[in-house]
Amino acid sequence: MPYAELDDKELVKLAREGREPAYRELLSRYQRPVFSLVYRMVRDRATAEDLAQETFVRVFNSIDTYDPAYKFSSWIFKIGNNLAIDHLRKRKLDTLSIEGSPHATTADQQESSRITVEAGGENPEQYVVHRELGSHIERAIGDLRPEYRTAITLRHVEGYSYEEIAEVMELPLGTVKTYIHRARSELKERLGHLVE
Amino acid sequence: MKAATEHLSDTLLQDYAEGVVSGAELAAVEAHLVGCTGCRSGVAGWRALLANLGELPRLAPSAAFADQVMARVKIRTPLAVRVLAWVRSLFPFPATPRTWALATAAAMVPVAIVGGAAYWVFSYPGVTPGNVLTFLVWRAGDAVGGFVAQTTTALLESRFVLPAYTILEALARSPGAAVATVSTFSALTALALWVLYRNVFTARSVDGRHAAHLFAF
């Protein structure tokens, strides 16, 4: 069966019938989006892996409770975001670095905790320039309030509409718009000299 | 809309740069921008930021991520699906029209043999379905009766009967000992079932699977 051609709701139906390839296809579709969201929230690779794993385990082990009236992606983002928020409430972490964990004390730890990005078809020079600018942007996003981080990531990395973000964050539409406007204003203030 | 001398709000400039302004508001913003260098510069700044945000990458978890997740997922197969899979595993289901034709032909052989035998038996005068049924019931009753008699004899002649009878007699004379024995036996049975359940359904092997899959249909 060509699982890659099925939409999320069809995959959920097959997963409920106990088909492991359906679970694997959902994982393949959402592991990067969910990990990206959670990583940008908690700013630590190992913690982000744990929380992203927990997100999938919770979603898959309660797949029978999924309501097809909602988007599957919204459901999984909601659970991932809630887990990240809960984690942040318990523990505050410091600076984000796409170059590796801020807790790394050796070069090996730094290398092993580095983040891999999706290949964008850039040449090496473009990649170096983008990576430097990207690091500044990631750091600036990391300094935002957690709820701003979620909103900005969903809007600009996942391309979610304001309404979908409101659904994931369980907030009124107006609040989400305010969050995004304020977050972008803070980013522009910090990055204006770099991006213009 | 603001007068040409008054700048547009940052929120409106963001929305315009993002392309989410429409209708009369869009026309008014565009009219304002024609005569306002400051707001045009503001829009350019927002567009640059939005373009950079749009290039933020999706980050990849470790290569083992998917397997680690799947090792913790409990995949529950519905009973109907498991029964169907079990039936399918018992019989090699035909997959092509040719194998279906062969399977049908193979299924027809015993039907033809039984049908031919029935025709041959009932072609004799005096042999009716009622007579045959009576004969079969009589033979089956004979077989069951013989089995029961043999089993009873074997039990009575068994060397375990006398000790068992002695134990039961002793227990009957002492109700306390009887209750203690039954309670101990029940507790041990419950413990054994619990250990079996833990091993089969909750303990995981190194590949992360429950032993229960060995018993799945």
Side-chain angles (χ1 to χ4, degrees), chain A residues 16-18 20 23-24 27 31-33 35-36 39-40 45 49 52-54 56-57 60-61 115-118 130 133 137-138 141 155-158 162 181 184-185 187-188 195, chain B residues 10-12 14-15 18 20 41-42 44-46 48-50 52-70 72-78 81 209:
Chain A
R16 282 175 170 173
E17 290 173 7
E20 186 173 333
Y23 287 96
R24 292 230 174 234
L27 246 173
Q31 62 177 355
R32 283 171 189 258
F35 177 75
S36 297
Y39 181 80
R40 287 189 168 103
R45 184 183 181 93
E49 288 245 4
Q53 263 192 37
E54 185 61 27
F56 279 101
V57 170
F60 287 168
N61 283 343
I115 286 294
T116 312
V117 300
E118 279 184 349
H130 276 173
L133 178 57
I137 297 175
E138 295 285 2
I141 291 175
R155 179 72 182 152
H156 293 289
V157 180
E158 298 307 324
Y162 290 112
H181 286 132
R184 288 197 295 224
S185 293
L187 290 174
K188 190 161 181 260
V195 298
Chain B
D10 246 6
T11 304
L12 192 52
Q14 279 190 49
D15 288 346
E18 201 179 16
V20 295
S41 163
W46 284 116
L49 178 71
L50 294 176
N52 280 288
L53 288 175
E55 286 178 15
L56 283 172
R58 277 180 174 164
L59 310 171
S62 64
F65 183 84
D67 288 334
Q68 286 167 346
V69 169
M70 289 311 294
R72 295 175 58 199
V73 173
K74 293 171 194 157
I75 299 178
R76 284 183 289 269
T77 312
V81 174
R209 300 179 75 181

